[in-house]
């Protein structure tokens, strides 16, 4: 059962941030509540003040800026809204595809993309995808706003670069140019993925010019795999290269023991998923 709390409904980011500053550790932002309220019901955390940000206008918007070559997504957009958005389906179909696999329809309806990222649960699908996609996050407080690369946002287990008085207000996703392709592969035995791999490849004149490869769900957060990225850069994208790269990814990834699957099994999964992700990203880059 939930213990008593006061619900606040600020109508601006500034007001919400001032509340966070005022109540300090006694307060938490409440978006969809799919993580927060469960933790509170189980008495794992308690906050005397919940700051419901759903009355703040503009935080659910989804828009494309063609001049900037990017898509902006409000942090309050639900997984279901992202899965169904015609704009996302047309301009960033991989995101719609990934969002359609998150949790179940009840969680996707209530849960927001901002809540998913700020909770920084290691099995987050969008977190892994956004690091591979080089997304940037906007954090705002009463004192102003700043942008943080997705790769720098996740700092540890359930930890992020967000300051206590900041809200995550939006996500900037670069629209991939022609010659670039991205893929996300996951495997699950329970509700959340047991292992995931994301790859973005930029291919020029038949060779891989740049790569962002990320393993997810097996460590304490999304993990970039720089040695594997370096190995494939400058090479022709083919099955032999991807098999070798997948082997290196599996060997070098950090695995956090969890009790469900063995570390050896998770390492194997990363190899299989990374090989698939590389092949699909290369195929998409060529199309
Ligand atoms: C049964 C189940 C299955 C799931 N399966 C998956 C899965 O397969 N893949 C996956 O990726 N995820 C999965 N999830 C996680 C799900 O995506 C998240 O629960 C959801 O997105 C959290 O969003 P929320 O709006 O409900 O967050 P809340 O519960 O409202 O908040 C979560 C945390 O983030 C903070 N917060 C929320 N919004 C902001 C903001 N804008 N700025 C700053 N801080 C903020 C809150 O204070 C709180 O600490 C699953 C969850 C459940 C319960």
């Amino acid at each position: 059962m939930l213990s008593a709390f006061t619900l606040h409904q600020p109508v601006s980011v500034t007001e919400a941030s001032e509340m966070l500053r005022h109540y300090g550790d006694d307060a938490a932002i409440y978006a969809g509540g799919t993580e927060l309220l469960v933790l509170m019901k189980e008495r794992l955390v308690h906050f005397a003040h919940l700051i419901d940000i759903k009355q703040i206008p503009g935080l659910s918007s989804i828009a494309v800026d063609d001049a900037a070559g990017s898509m902006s997504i409000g942090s309050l957009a639900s997984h279901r809204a992202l899965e169904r958005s015609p704009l996302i389906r047309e301009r960033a179909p991989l995101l719609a595809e990934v969002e359609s696999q998150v949790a179940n329809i009840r969680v996707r309806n209530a849960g927001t993309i901002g809540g998913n990222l700020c909770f920084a649960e290691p099995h987050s699908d969008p977190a892994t995808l956004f690091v591979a996609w080089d997304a940037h996050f906007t954090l705002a407080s009463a004192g102003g706003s700043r942008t943080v690369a997705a790769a720098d946002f996740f700092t540890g287990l359930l930890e992020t670069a967000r300051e206590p008085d900041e809200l995550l207000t939006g996500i900037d996703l670069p629209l991939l140019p022609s010659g670039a392709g991205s893929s996300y592969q996951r495997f699950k035995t329970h509700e959340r993925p047991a292992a995931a791999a994301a790859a973005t490849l930029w291919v020029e004149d038949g060779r891989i010019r740049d790569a962002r490869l990320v393993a997810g769900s097996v460590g304490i957060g999304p993990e970039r795999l720089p040695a594997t990225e370096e190995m494939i850069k400058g090479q022709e994208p083919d099955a032999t290269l991807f098999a070798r790269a997948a082997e290196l990814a599996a060997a070098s990834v950090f695995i956090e023991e969890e009790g469900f699957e063995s570390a050896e099994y998770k390492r194997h999964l990363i190899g299989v998923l990374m090989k698939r992700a590389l092949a699909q990203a290369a195929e998409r880059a060529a199309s």
Side-chain angles (χ1 to χ4, degrees), residues 28-38 47 53 59 75-76 79 101-104 107 110-119 121 123-127 139 162 166-169 186 188 191-193:
I29 291 174
Y30 163 41
T34 60
E35 303 283 21
L36 182 67
L37 296 184
V38 172
F47 297 101
I53 57 172
L59 288 186
S75 63
L76 264 184
H79 296 293
Q101 298 169 10
V102 166
N104 54 56
V107 171
T112 65
I113 188 71
N116 179 299
L117 300 172
C118 288
F119 193 55
E121 209 276 340
H123 303 87
S124 163
D125 290 299
L139 293 164
R162 183 180 81 85
E166 285 180 323
L167 277 75
L168 173 64
T169 53
R186 78 202 293 259
K188 69 170 195 161
E191 234 148 9
R192 305 183 195 218

Side-chain angles (χ1 to χ4, degrees), residues 1-285:
M1 205 177 84
L2 277 171
S3 51
F5 58 83
T6 304
L7 186 70
H8 303 267
Q9 294 192 303
V11 292
S12 70
V13 170
T14 299
E15 195 188 352
S17 167
E18 280 166 352
M19 286 175 175
L20 284 171
R21 209 175 278 177
H22 179 74
Y23 293 113
D25 288 347
D26 284 339
I29 291 174
Y30 163 41
T34 60
E35 303 283 21
L36 182 67
L37 296 184
V38 172
L39 291 180
M40 287 177 71
K41 273 185 199 155
E42 289 176 1
R43 307 259 168 153
L44 294 169
V45 294
H46 174 66
F47 297 101
H49 300 272
L50 290 194
I51 301 169
D52 177 0
I53 57 172
K54 291 189 285 298
Q55 305 304 316
I56 301 176
L59 288 186
S60 308
S61 63
I62 299 167
V64 164
D65 181 344
D66 276 310
S70 69
M71 169 174 276
S72 64
I73 297 164
S75 63
L76 264 184
S78 69
H79 296 293
R80 187 83 173 130
L82 300 183
E83 172 191 348
R84 299 184 63 171
S85 156
L87 196 55
I88 293 182
R89 283 172 174 233
E90 188 198 332
R91 305 298 299 275
L94 175 59
L95 177 59
E97 180 191 313
V98 171
E99 286 294 331
S100 72
Q101 298 169 10
V102 166
N104 54 56
I105 196 155
R106 285 173 61 208
V107 171
R108 288 206 297 282
N109 256 322
T112 65
I113 188 71
N116 179 299
L117 300 172
C118 288
F119 193 55
E121 209 276 340
H123 303 87
S124 163
D125 290 299
T128 307
L129 177 70
F130 286 158
V131 173
W133 207 324
D134 200 16
H136 284 67
F137 301 159
T138 303
L139 293 164
S141 69
S145 70
R146 64 186 176 115
T147 302
V148 178
D152 299 327
F153 182 73
F154 303 100
T155 53
L157 185 66
L158 307 177
E159 281 177 9
T160 70
R162 183 180 81 85
E163 293 295 333
D165 66 342
E166 285 180 323
L167 277 75
L168 173 64
T169 53
I171 296 127
D172 258 322
L173 202 57
L175 296 169
L176 292 179
S178 72
S182 200
S183 172
Y184 179 81
Q185 303 287 325
R186 78 202 293 259
F187 178 79
K188 69 170 195 161
T189 48
H190 304 282
E191 234 148 9
R192 305 183 195 218
T200 306
L201 300 179
W202 288 262
V203 181
E204 221 171 73
D205 300 328
R207 291 189 181 268
I208 298 168
R209 178 177 56 76
D210 205 356
R212 291 179 73 92
L213 308 181
V214 182
S217 290
V218 296
I220 54 172
E223 184 192 345
R224 259 188 99 172
L225 302 166
T228 315
E229 291 173 1
E230 287 310 314
M231 176 193 185
I232 65 172
K233 278 188 210 167
Q235 307 293 317
E236 288 177 21
D238 65 31
T240 314
L241 176 72
F242 293 157
R244 281 175 41 227
E247 255 177 52
L248 179 59
S252 57
V253 68
F254 169 79
I255 308 278
E256 176 83 351
E257 294 273 5
E258 262 188 323
F260 289 124
E261 299 90 5
S262 71
E264 195 190 355
Y265 181 51
K266 287 201 169 201
R267 217 172 266 293
H268 170 74
L269 286 175
I270 289 297
V272 172
L273 296 171
M274 188 54 80
K275 193 157 83 173
R276 288 181 192 163
L278 284 163
Q280 191 175 59
E283 200 183 298
R284 287 174 174 172

